[in-house]
Amino acid sequence: MIQWILVWLRELPLRIIEWMADGLEWLFRWFSGGTNEGFWGWVRSGFSKLFWIAVRLVAYPVSGLFLRGSGKRAYWWSIPSVLLGLFVIGSVVVWGWYRERILTRYLVRVQSAYSKGELREGEGKRYAERWIRDEGFSDPEKELLYGLICMQNGAVTSGVNSLIAMETGRRVLEILSPEDAKGLGVAHYWRAGEYLQGIERLEGDEFGARLEKVRWHVDRASGVAPGQIALLRGRLASWENDLQRADAEYRKAWEASPGVGVEIAQMYRRHGDASNADRVLKESAERLLGVLGSEPRNRAVREQAALAYEELGQWRVAEGVLVEGLQWSRDESSVGKSGTGASGVSMLGGHYDRRMDRAVGSAIESEVDYRELSYSILRTVRLRGVTPGLIQRVSKLGQERGWGEVLSRLQQESQGWLVEGGDPAVAHLGLGVVNWGLGELEKGRWHVEQGVRIDGRVRSIALELIDGLRGVIAQGWQERLEELDRWVSEANSGEGLGENSVGEKR
Amino acid sequence: MDRGVLTVVALIALGLNGRGLASHLHRVIQAGRWNDLGVVILGVAGVGIAASMRLGGWRDQKRVVDAVWGYGLLLLACALTALGYWMQDWRLVWMGSGWMLATVVGELFGLGVGAVVRMGLLLGFVPLLPWGIEWRVHEVGQRLASWFAGVLLDMARVFYYWRGNVIGLVDKDVLGSEQGAGLRWFGPVILTVISYGFLRRYRLVRMIYLMVVGVFWLVVIQGGMIAYYFWAQVGKQGGGSEESLGWFDGLGVASVLFLVWSSDQFYSAFTYREAEDVQGDDPLNAGGRSQRGGVRKSGSLWGLVIGTVLYGLIGCWIWVAPGRFSTLADLGGEAGGSSSFESSTQQVGEWMFKEVEGGSFEGFVPVFAQVDSFKQREWELTRVGDIQRAQSAGDVPVSEDAYSVRFRLDGAWVDKPWAAWLWRWYGWRIFEEGREGELQYWSMSRTIAEEGFVVSGWSRPAGLGASGQYSLEVRGVRPISKEMQREMIALYEMIQGSFDGVIEKGDPK
């Protein structure tokens, strides 16, 4: 019996071919034989016609050669359309066959644009637009990439386009982290982080509701490094006043990334534990410096280290860390220009902004550190020119402490910087503007002239300042502003004097 | 007796329709619809030929139009005409009249049903190119052509993206708005193919086959042209300003017609029987003996062939010649007089207007524009509060929620298309349509985070000569709230009247 089964199985492939051949024969007989009456006759005749049309179509390239007379002429003239038609159909078939591979080509471009930074505005986003609505290809992970590339696009552009690109990215991530379904873990991670931002400004029920949302999203967050999830959990626990849990979670995050130390220190300070805060900051700074030793071009770590030192109150060390970064950075040629696009300069500018904020912020309750403030102004002006933020900060201080005090103290400190030789051109300009503000016009003019003479670039900085002041200065000062404008325009820039040359002192 | 009564009734009905016929013809001429005029000429020529063929034997002795057929056709024609009068749609009047004339000629000359049907189709063909839905024909055709162009570009490894019916290059700011403005050779090609089929007296199946292959080759060649245009743009400097590929248009039309003819040869070869060489039914073959017998008056037929070819060439020249497109573009860009607009309407309520220089990125002069002086203009709207906030922050003005609000003018249209045609053209999915009096509004969405809301209405500013479509559009990344929708409807109502006056003043043409 077994032998019979084995023989049967051995012959099975042949039998299948035999059955198929028999079936085809039966089909052909059925098509060609019998009558065309009745429903089955109609079906038979229909299929038969279709079958023979198909056969003739397949055989057409050869059978046409055997036509005669006008048929043969028609055959030859039909060749262009037949060949081109075959090419069109073939292209579409091949295209459909390789569709996945073609779209992957676009996907790779988007991934590359995201990981290396976009070369052109919106290019990565456009690569993604090829597949973003393709239901057969696009999935939540790819949509997430689209959202991220939009946000990256927003970060490198400016104005309306930047805002729209950022909002598009946010919207995509919101869609991927719905509040009534499972969603994508990494999008929930992002959403929880979004909800945590600005939570300190909320109160009462609003605070409670926001905290509940954070909790909901943190529970569903995944797809990122465990340290990052731990950081979110630590933040959540901190806002829930569960210090023990917060400490444990933060510790996990700190193990993975020493940069988290600043946040942990802030938590300790919020709860009045200054010694632990300083300990964490010191250790973080040391660990970050260790990383910088092997990765000196790592801007993120450098900024984290500087922040740790700033939090410790060691402003000079923080500045040193950032300045060292500029030496490593490819953007170092732009130092001294107001190129805000260079991220190294921007990083350092952010440092001075924070220092100014600290000085201005302390004006309400305590003594202002005018030395630190004047230094920060000096460096900001040299690095980024006169920004609206700078004017806004100084105006705020003037309103808080009175312009008389602010200007006279800045005059005093700027003279100190001039003596010490720190960027004399900008120091002269600063003194010129302060004297102008105090009504000592002759002195003011002389300092402005000296500043422009030492470094011709000071002229454009001064013009920026005048433009900035035009929008905010009181009506009565407009005439005096024109005078300042005239000083700058009439000042002759010296030749052969470098930026760091020490100018003549009156 | 029957024939006499029928003829008189049909002639009276025709006479009564004079106003409708004249009205439609006037519009056709005014709008420069050379294709439609061509159909009229072809129709009249068809009647003439049918009459001249009477003695030549081009009538089916067995199936002469009898009284029942005649009254049936006449009734149908009268119904169409009445419907046209009732709907104030002169195209239907024209169509009914065409059928009436065909019936009269058929009765008078004792022609067969086939001849009458051909004449009726020729004479009544004008409404088969209905302006109201023409954009849909072009939309489907353009979508297929762009899709095929995408296939070719993928094969050439050119990176692109689709925005509805239009292709854009990834690495530069190019949207093929002119190359994607509709099937440029649709009218001339289809008319030539139909005329060719009628001349050859093909049967219905073969006519349908010819039409299908005509559209197929049209889409393929148009797609090839789009692909070539983009392929030629790759690696070139500049923003890719579009230009008509003048000589390529001529080559394109000739290619399509040749391929249709070649496909017709395929049909002949495929269905070839050796007996046909002896018993062919080619009406142009004067030497051959027809199955239906009789000697052809080949002179008239050749005249019609030459006329058709001439008409096709002239139609192609007018329709697709580069000059025509640049003229349209110029008018679209300049007409309306932006200076007069700026001087009169700079602000409506708390919204400031600023005309978008160079027109919209997503805009084009459609091939199916119904009036030569088609305009497409766009203004950006910004809230005064947003501008002040932005000025104080030293930034560009944008609304807090990153919405952009625009007002645009498209037209003029003699027959109004579906209001959302342009947005649909650029790949927007339309939903939640609604009406409020004369206004239409709808929500829409495109890619994963592109949402929009449009309020649209029709107006008749004197400068345009016909209806212009005004649309107020708000776009954002989040669904537009109901409050904002209501605000947009109210804002639209405020600005429409102001714009009517401006266009009238700025563009007296």
Side-chain angles (χ1 to χ4, degrees), chain A residues 56 60 68 70-71 74 77-78 81 85 95 102 106 109 126 129-130 146 159-160 163 167-168 171 174, chain B residues 147 154 159-160 163 170 172-173 217 261-262 265-266 269-270 272 274 277 396 398 427 446 448 477-479:
Chain A
R56 283 170 61 200
Y60 180 78
R68 289 190 296 180
S70 65
W77 279 115
S78 71
S81 62
W95 181 80
I102 291 165
Y106 283 79
R109 290 282 179 131
R126 283 184 182 166
E129 277 184 17
R130 175 71 196 279
Y146 177 70
V160 184
L163 191 63
E167 285 298 308
T168 306
R171 174 68 181 148
E174 280 172 23
Chain B
W147 174 77
D154 274 333
F159 288 99
Y160 68 93
R163 193 160 279 182
V170 164
K172 61 199 306 194
D173 231 16
W217 290 122
W261 179 77
S262 176
Q265 296 304 303
F266 168 78
F270 194 72
Y272 176 75
E274 292 205 1
D277 267 353
V396 279
V398 282
R446 198 157 55 175
I448 191 167
V477 296
R478 291 183 174 77

Side-chain angles (χ1 to χ4, degrees), chain B residues 143-183:
Chain B
R143 180 159 300 182
L144 289 170
S146 291
W147 174 77
F148 181 64
V151 171
L152 296 178
L153 288 174
D154 274 333
M155 288 165 74
R157 286 182 171 253
V158 174
F159 288 99
Y160 68 93
Y161 62 99
W162 275 305
R163 193 160 279 182
N165 287 358
V166 180
I167 278 185
L169 273 186
V170 164
D171 60 354
K172 61 199 306 194
D173 231 16
V174 177
L175 264 186
S177 49
E178 187 169 303
Q179 306 306 330
L183 296 181

Side-chain angles (χ1 to χ4, degrees), chain B residues 7-25:
Chain B
T7 310
V8 170
V9 170
L11 280 172
I12 291 169
L14 259 179
L16 289 173
N17 290 337
R19 184 171 155 263
L21 291 174
S23 172
H24 186 60
L25 200 58

Side-chain angles (χ1 to χ4, degrees), chain B residues 239-263:
Chain B
S241 61
E242 288 189 66
E243 54 200 44
S244 276
L245 305 169
W247 61 271
F248 201 84
D249 275 333
L251 191 67
V253 177
S255 306
V256 175
L257 293 180
F258 171 72
L259 287 167
V260 173
W261 179 77
S262 176
S263 304

Side-chain angles (χ1 to χ4, degrees), chain A residues 144-169:
Chain A
L144 174 76
L145 178 64
Y146 177 70
L148 295 176
I149 200 90
C150 287
M151 287 174 110
Q152 187 194 51
N153 178 227
V156 298
T157 49
S158 57
V160 184
N161 289 339
S162 164
L163 191 63
I164 289 173
M166 292 295 275
E167 285 298 308
T168 306

Side-chain angles (χ1 to χ4, degrees), chain B residues 1 14 123 175 198 207 215 223 232 234 247 259 278-279 327 448 501:
Chain B
M1 179 62 188
L14 259 179
L123 282 167
L175 264 186
F198 278 167
M207 282 297 285
V215 172
V234 174
W247 61 271
L259 287 167
V278 186
Q279 296 184 333
T327 309
I448 191 167

